[in-house]
Amino acid sequence: MANRILVSVEDGMAEPEWLCKVEPFLQKSLAALGLDGREISVLFCTDGFIKTLNKDYRNVDAPTDVLSFESGERYSDGDGEWLNMGDIVISVPMLSENARCFSTSENSELKRLLLHGALHLNGMDHGDEHIEAGKPPECEMLRLQEKILLEMEEEEIVPA
């Protein structure tokens, strides 16, 4: 059995040309984590949409790059038993801004945000630590994130 990855965009928002490549990347990411029979939904949105979520759920009145909402609900259907890990929400404008700020490609940044969200849905956390240039991560979540990203360096979602 594989995993179910449901990918969508905020109502009224144009679909990025790379949207169809998100599901295969997350399939490989979940396989690298040894996860099977999982369901994740990914929503790409505007800064305004994610700002509202950030304010409502984290009491932060500002847009952010990625939010994760764990579910943990189990269900069965004709294809088998599933664990709904939850939802990942990514701001497309923040994705572009992060790529500029961190001097990386949008492809690398999108992979980082997707994997980061999936790790949170798998129950991992990094506290106040964040990735810093030239400094190896200390916490398990960020070390695992960087290891998998290195292994998947050649994967392309956003064309160069």
Side-chain angles (χ1 to χ4, degrees), residues 112 116 119-120 124-132 136-149:
R112 185 186 68 80
H116 191 86
L119 289 170
H120 274 305
M124 299 188 86
D125 197 10
H126 53 85
D128 292 333
E129 184 181 356
H130 295 279
I131 296 294
E132 295 179 41
E138 295 177 16
C139 75
E140 178 186 2
M141 177 186 170
L142 296 180
R143 284 195 316 267
L144 180 57
Q145 171 184 296
E146 295 307 300
K147 175 186 177 287
I148 292 172
L149 287 174

Side-chain angles (χ1 to χ4, degrees), residues 49-89:
F49 188 92
I50 207 164
K51 178 182 177 183
T52 299
L53 291 176
N54 209 19
K55 184 170 191 218
D56 291 349
Y57 291 94
R58 297 181 62 230
N59 204 28
V60 176
D61 192 15
T64 189
D65 49 6
V66 60
L67 291 172
S68 300
F69 299 95
E70 287 184 63
S71 171
E73 179 183 325
R74 293 188 177 277
Y75 68 95
S76 301
D77 65 12
D79 295 327
E81 297 273 331
W82 300 93
L83 171 63
N84 180 348
M85 292 176 69
D87 307 314
I88 299 171
V89 182

Side-chain angles (χ1 to χ4, degrees), residues 3-71:
N3 295 291
R4 286 186 174 163
I5 313 295
L6 311 166
V7 182
S8 60
V9 297
E10 176 186 347
D11 286 343
M13 185 175 143
E15 285 189 7
E17 63 184 41
W18 41 258
L19 195 69
C20 63
K21 295 182 180 180
V22 170
E23 188 267 341
F25 174 79
L26 273 175
Q27 288 287 2
K28 290 177 184 176
S29 298
L30 295 178
L33 292 167
L35 300 176
D36 191 38
R38 304 303 203 273
E39 180 179 282
I40 293 178
S41 73
V42 181
L43 174 70
F44 291 93
C45 66
T46 61
D47 277 351
F49 188 92
I50 207 164
K51 178 182 177 183
T52 299
L53 291 176
N54 209 19
K55 184 170 191 218
D56 291 349
Y57 291 94
R58 297 181 62 230
N59 204 28
V60 176
D61 192 15
T64 189
D65 49 6
V66 60
L67 291 172
S68 300
F69 299 95
E70 287 184 63
S71 171

Side-chain angles (χ1 to χ4, degrees), residues 80-118:
E81 297 273 331
W82 300 93
L83 171 63
N84 180 348
M85 292 176 69
D87 307 314
I88 299 171
V89 182
I90 296 175
S91 165
V92 174
M94 288 294 287
L95 159 67
S96 298
E97 181 63 26
N98 282 1
R100 279 190 295 280
C101 286
F102 297 129
S103 299
T104 191
S105 68
E106 287 190 14
N107 185 59
S108 292
E109 181 62 10
L110 179 54
K111 292 188 297 185
R112 185 186 68 80
L113 294 176
L114 288 165
L115 184 55
H116 191 86

